[in-house]
Amino acid sequence: MKQGKQSWLFQNGVYIIDTATVSGPKEKQGPLGSTFDYSYEKLHCDGKTWEQAEQNLLSKATNLCMEKSGIREDALDLIVSGDLLNQNVTSNYVARDYSSSMLCVFGACSTSMESLAIAGSLINSQDNQFALAATSSHYATAERQFRYPTEYGGQKPDTATSTVTGAGAALVSSQTSHIQVEGATIGQVIDYGAQDPLDMGSAMAPAAANTILQHLTDFNREVNDYDLILTGDLSSVGTPILKKILYQSGVDIETVHDDCGLMIYHQDQNIFAGGSGCASSALVAYGHVIQQLRSGNLNRVLVVATGALLNPTMMQQKESIPCIAHGVVLKRSDAI
Amino acid sequence: MITKDNYQQSIKPYQPKPNLIQNCIKAFVVGGLICVVGQGLTVLYMEMFGFTAKEAGNPTITTLILIAAILTGFGVYDKLGQFAGAGSAVPVTGFANSIASAALEHKSEGLVLGVATNMFKLAGSVIVFGTVAAYVVGLIRFTAQTILGS
Amino acid sequence: MIMDFVWAFIVGGSICVIGQLLLDIFKLTPAHVMSLFVVSGAVLDGFSLYDRLIEFAGAGATVPITSFGHSLLHGAMSQAEEHGFLGIAIGIFQLTSAGIASAILFGFIVAVIFKPKG
């Protein structure tokens, strides 16, 4: 059901049966390492190429999610999945192994919450019973597509982010569980004219601010209604900018905000301003946040995944970086 | 007040600046040391094979390129580059790294369409601009010499 | 002898510092800096200035990529003296051949042997 200007309220009850997270080696060593269901020991993730490595991540995450949910694969109505690579190859290649319908989505690093919002809406419409929302990113595939060869000795500035290697999946259903997907706010494409692809935090902060403000307006809520407001990958550069923009609009998120890209790694892991990529928000939301909701440490969380909708060609043509942010509300449920 | 119109200006305080002095010192030391290695190789080739300084130039450059290519293969040169910036990019070793890294990166697409086709993805601009510049300067200089000489 | 090394260090290091300033202050990409340096080397050699720098600094001037522009022009000029205008194109890669050939060869061998580490 449409709620306000840009939001959906899932009034028929949409639940997450279970989730799965799979990470690379560096993420395993980070503070949230123990929250992942599986971690590969090498960056190659048992693949011959980097692209295969990312497929292995996503495939492992979707398979594990189905396994943990205890739902037979033929009961799955739909997969909603996306990633960062051209033509969403990771998602589409992994979906070959499934016999359900596939909706492929792209929202850059916001794909995690975009896919979850769409899956939630399709469940809420009562046309489907089980939908799998999934996403992935890999350091090396993103480097080679968006930046330089991984062995190239270019110097990155401190504003750069490091793509998170990992994949996350969530099985969404109308069947009740402990985690409810309460609603979603779908972002607008916002472009404040930032042009530096090695500083995506600054570029994405206005989009995150826009979505958070719209969300609070649409649902007529306050910051205090949430135990945690998470952004996907604003980094240590974009995070203070987001807080400042919101503060100017009379919204203070200081006490409840955290950024997924800043939670995944330790300070000394050479990741510049923080983690980024679809897997940044997916690993934190589908791992740590779900576990905290289940244990009752958190009751209601707004996850705002942020995406920079650029590609190298547009950057070389001196265009600016349009950005988007999608928010999804996860809530602890007593329905079961 | 941060608005769309003044966004680039008003967010400047939040963007970490590169540590210019530190970066320059690192570039100076690493770049200088690579040249010292080059000087050492030149002396070595002069002593060992009786080359003149000029004749020792090519083997020196070739040896540096070999070292850079091997370090690229072992995944060391990108780390050196992050530390030294222009210090490891400006010497000829950086040119070798840009070729070897592009070739290695595209190995997965095969030797012909991957390695060979993409090898000059980064280094190509150096060869193109070098050639065009040398051609133009050569043309001007030779014309001047011909006119002045006759 | 020792001073040769000292000057190579100082001159080579200084050229790299100019590169670093172009990267950090003018926000040029590495490709732009390299291209600019090669062009500078050719232009400096056009005024016969680069040879003096090499005499003075040795490897401090021959190892940075600026020397690539200088060698391209040197090759072009030496052939031009023999063959006239046509010689510019004939000689342009004469002196840089070893560098380009070895970079291609070693780049290829590295790609065949190694696996990208990421």
Side-chain angles (χ1 to χ4, degrees):
Chain A
M1 190 178 87
K2 183 95 178 275
Q3 173 88 8
K5 181 171 171 275
Q6 279 171 237
S7 300
W8 302 337
L9 175 72
F10 300 144
Q11 81 283 7
N12 293 329
V14 173
Y15 300 88
I16 290 179
I17 304 285
D18 218 326
T19 57
T21 49
V22 177
S23 87
K26 203 169 183 177
E27 293 69 23
K28 174 73 183 169
Q29 290 160 11
L32 298 181
S34 60
T35 64
F36 306 136
D37 293 305
Y38 184 86
S39 294
Y40 284 98
E41 278 170 26
K42 294 223 167 84
L43 195 60
H44 277 92
C45 307
D46 300 343
K48 268 194 210 145
T49 65
W50 297 125
E51 284 69 20
Q52 275 180 10
E54 188 173 337
Q55 286 167 34
N56 289 348
L57 286 165
L58 185 61
S59 167
K60 187 95 182 170
T62 52
N63 290 343
L64 267 177
C65 186
M66 294 301 290
E67 213 174 280
K68 283 172 72 181
S69 308
I71 305 291
R72 278 178 40 207
E73 202 204 300
D74 52 13
L76 185 64
D77 295 300
L78 185 75
I79 299 171
V80 186
S81 178
D83 54 90
L84 290 176
L85 301 191
N86 292 336
Q87 288 78 40
N88 273 340
V89 281
T90 310
S91 298
N92 284 322
Y93 276 58
V94 166
R96 292 184 297 193
D97 300 332
Y98 285 85
S99 52
S100 47
S101 308
M102 162 73 170
L103 257 183
C104 180
V105 293
F106 180 81
C109 311
S110 73
T111 305
S112 57
M113 289 305 117
E114 183 184 11
S115 57
L116 184 60
I118 293 171
S121 173
L122 293 170
I123 297 294
N124 189 55
S125 70
Q126 299 180 324
D127 293 332
N128 298 281
Q129 204 188 357
F130 293 105
L132 188 67
T135 190
S136 66
S137 60
H138 189 288
Y139 170 78
T141 56
E143 277 301 301
R144 72 182 292 191
Q145 182 175 304
F146 291 101
R147 300 184 185 108
Y148 292 107
T150 51
E151 303 308 326
Y152 177 60
Q155 194 174 36
K156 282 189 192 165
D158 293 335
T159 53
T161 49
S162 180
T163 307
V164 173
T165 301
L171 187 73
V172 188
S173 171
S174 50
Q175 284 185 8
T176 55
S177 81
H178 284 301
I179 314 286
Q180 190 183 352
V181 185
E182 209 183 12
T185 301
I186 306 300
Q188 305 171 18
V189 175
I190 304 277
D191 189 343
Y192 271 26
Q195 286 189 311
D196 186 356
L198 291 173
D199 179 7
M200 295 198 290
S202 317
M204 295 189 294
N210 185 282
T211 299
I212 292 173
L213 289 174
Q214 193 63 51
H215 176 82
L216 297 176
T217 310
D218 286 351
F219 283 87
N220 196 19
R221 282 183 184 162
E222 291 180 8
V223 171
N224 293 338
D225 293 323
Y226 294 97
D227 300 318
L228 181 63
I229 295 179
L230 269 181
T231 47
D233 48 4
L234 288 186
S235 80
S236 57
V237 181
T239 300
I241 300 176
L242 168 74
K243 288 177 182 169
K244 178 79 181 170
I245 298 176
L246 288 177
Y247 193 74
Q248 284 172 3
S249 310
V251 175
D252 185 357
I253 57 165
E254 188 67 46
T255 49
V256 293
H257 176 267
D258 216 332
D259 186 72
C260 299
L262 296 175
M263 298 165 74
I264 290 180
Y265 301 107
H266 289 294
Q267 284 282 321
D268 57 359
Q269 282 185 291
N270 292 325
I271 40 86
F272 307 96
S276 62
C278 305
S280 176
S281 46
L283 286 183
V284 177
Y286 296 156
H288 174 72
V289 169
I290 295 286
Q291 286 157 23
Q292 294 292 309
L293 284 167
R294 230 178 236 144
S295 65
N297 290 336
L298 294 170
N299 276 309
R300 194 191 266 150
V301 178
L302 172 63
V303 185
V304 180
T306 41
L309 307 167
L310 74 162
N311 82 14
T313 307
M314 304 317 282
M315 289 301 99
Q316 282 157 9
Q317 293 174 354
K318 312 274 182 238
E319 297 275 358
S320 55
I321 306 173
C323 296
I324 198 161
H326 302 296
V328 172
V329 183
L330 300 176
K331 194 183 133 194
R332 182 179 156 78
S333 156
D334 302 318
I336 215 161
Chain B
M1 185 82 183
I2 299 176
T3 62
K4 186 173 178 176
D5 296 324
N6 70 6
Y7 190 64
Q8 298 307 319
Q9 282 302 319
S10 54
I11 59 166
K12 284 233 162 90
Y14 299 97
Q15 294 167 314
K17 297 274 163 301
N19 189 337
L20 202 58
I21 294 173
Q22 202 187 338
N23 281 359
C24 284
I25 292 173
K26 286 190 214 163
F28 182 78
V29 172
V30 174
L33 284 177
I34 293 173
C35 293
V36 166
V37 173
Q39 186 70 32
L41 287 168
T42 308
V43 172
L44 187 75
Y45 286 123
M46 283 161 73
E47 299 278 317
M48 268 173 65
F49 302 105
F51 288 161
T52 64
K54 218 165 201 166
E55 286 168 335
N58 268 332
T60 300
I61 297 294
T62 307
T63 312
L64 287 174
I65 288 173
L66 176 65
I67 295 170
I70 291 171
L71 289 179
T72 304
F74 280 112
V76 177
Y77 209 90
D78 59 325
K79 294 181 179 64
L80 179 66
Q82 181 57 42
F83 176 81
S88 59
V90 169
V92 72
T93 48
F95 176 74
N97 165 253
S98 67
I99 289 180
S101 65
L104 188 57
E105 183 73 24
H106 291 278
K107 185 183 186 179
S108 60
E109 289 102 271
L111 289 182
V112 177
L113 297 178
V115 173
T117 309
N118 289 291
M119 192 176 252
F120 287 102
K121 199 166 78 161
L122 298 165
S125 64
V126 169
I127 296 181
V128 170
F129 275 96
T131 307
V132 172
Y135 202 95
V136 171
V137 174
L139 213 56
I140 295 169
R141 195 171 149 174
F142 189 67
T143 310
Q145 276 177 4
T146 316
I147 294 169
L148 294 176
S150 60
Chain C
M1 175 81 175
I2 293 293
M3 283 320 281
D4 286 350
F5 282 89
V6 172
W7 284 120
F9 181 76
I10 292 175
V11 172
S14 302
I15 295 174
C16 293
V17 169
I18 297 172
Q20 189 69 39
L21 293 175
L22 291 172
L23 289 173
D24 283 353
I25 296 181
F26 296 95
K27 304 281 174 204
L28 296 186
T29 67
H32 281 88
V33 174
M34 296 307 113
S35 304
L36 193 66
F37 271 30
V38 174
V39 173
S40 310
V43 172
L44 284 176
D45 194 49
F47 297 103
S48 302
L49 292 174
Y50 208 83
D51 278 330
R52 285 195 213 163
L53 190 66
I54 292 176
E55 261 170 51
F56 176 67
T62 55
V63 170
I65 199 73
T66 37
S67 114
F68 186 66
H70 144 268
S71 303
L72 286 169
L73 184 59
H74 257 283
M77 291 313 290
S78 74
Q79 286 297 315
E81 267 147 37
E82 237 177 90
H83 302 284
F85 282 103
L86 206 61
I88 299 175
I90 297 172
I92 207 157
F93 286 119
Q94 198 173 42
L95 300 177
T96 51
S97 169
I100 297 178
S102 54
I104 293 176
L105 189 70
F106 298 143
F108 187 82
I109 293 171
V110 161
V112 171
I113 296 175
F114 291 93
K115 197 174 168 186
K117 305 268 184 304

